[in-house]
Amino acid sequence: MKKYYFITCHLSVMVACHLEAWATASTPTTLEACPIPYVRVSGRCLFFDPLATGTWHQTQALCESLHGNLAKIDTGIFMADIVDHIREHQMATKGYWMGASDEGHEGDWRWRDGTSVRMGTPFWGYLPERPIVQEPRRGTVENCGCLIDQYLYFFHDCPCSNDYYSPLCEYRSKDYQTTTAL
């Protein structure tokens, strides 16, 4: 029996977390196993917590406490699988933080591991009121990457201090491999 775990955290306290478990009737294989509370999405281990919210730095700290980082969404297929997972499991929220930022190096978007974030299509979205200008577009005002429900979970640059997005964590391990091809 496969067990899924859901963590409810109050990021204002950052330590007040507890686990609640529920089970489904499937049998995991070794390849499917992710450490608790992560679930496998597109061959990688992710943790979604649509109930917890916080700033980019607070949610990154939460991910680190779970041996992860905010997610590195580096392929179009991975991005589509994340959006499908959010919708299939009814985990829609205002948005999720991802591990991209140009904080401290304006215009040079990097993942937490230091690799460059691919710019343009298919990742970065448009705002409906300004469809000609593709994200990121706000200079030093918005330096952290987010996936916003209202904008169909395409990448957007958001103020790092927004405290109403949820964490999207990716498990990190030297034995854990990720794909980098589109």
Side-chain angles (χ1 to χ4, degrees):
M1 187 171 282
K2 188 172 189 175
K3 290 195 176 204
Y4 291 92
Y5 292 85
F6 187 82
I7 289 187
T8 304
C9 293
H10 304 284
L11 289 176
S12 60
V13 179
M14 286 303 291
V15 192
C17 297
H18 67 277
L19 291 174
E20 298 172 9
W22 71 92
T24 62
S26 66
T27 305
T29 68
T30 306
L31 294 176
E32 292 178 52
C34 286
I36 296 169
Y38 292 91
V39 295
R40 188 162 300 279
V41 175
S42 199
R44 292 156 81 168
C45 294
L46 299 178
F47 171 63
F48 302 78
D49 190 344
L51 299 179
T53 59
T55 68
W56 189 88
H57 295 284
Q58 289 172 328
T59 57
Q60 172 59 30
L62 173 65
C63 293
E64 288 173 3
S65 75
L66 297 169
H67 306 288
N69 280 314
L70 287 170
K72 177 180 179 179
I73 306 168
D74 54 355
T75 73
I77 292 170
F78 186 40
M79 182 176 170
D81 288 346
I82 288 170
V83 173
D84 288 345
H85 185 85
I86 290 168
R87 291 187 176 140
E88 287 169 14
H89 293 86
Q90 300 175 2
M91 298 187 325
T93 178
K94 282 188 177 183
Y96 286 92
W97 288 116
M98 62 178 177
S101 175
D102 73 342
E103 193 173 48
H105 37 84
E106 186 57 41
D108 182 19
W109 283 82
R110 299 273 169 182
W111 295 109
R112 295 287 301 157
D113 65 4
T115 58
S116 293
V117 175
R118 183 172 171 183
M119 304 309 287
T121 306
F123 299 102
W124 292 87
Y126 294 89
L127 294 178
E129 63 272 9
R130 299 204 56 211
I132 296 173
V133 181
Q134 192 170 21
E135 295 283 324
R137 60 177 185 77
R138 295 293 299 262
T140 59
V141 176
E142 298 179 344
N143 292 315
C144 292
C146 59
L147 306 168
I148 304 173
D149 178 50
Q150 177 183 358
Y151 303 125
L152 306 174
Y153 295 109
F154 284 99
F155 292 8
H156 282 268
D157 55 340
C158 298
C160 302
S161 60
N162 282 1
D163 63 359
Y164 42 82
Y165 296 136
S166 298
L168 172 52
C169 305
E170 181 174 3
Y171 181 70
R172 66 170 189 252
S173 165
K174 59 184 170 193
D175 300 322
Y176 185 70
Q177 295 184 6
T178 60
T179 52
T180 54
L182 178 62

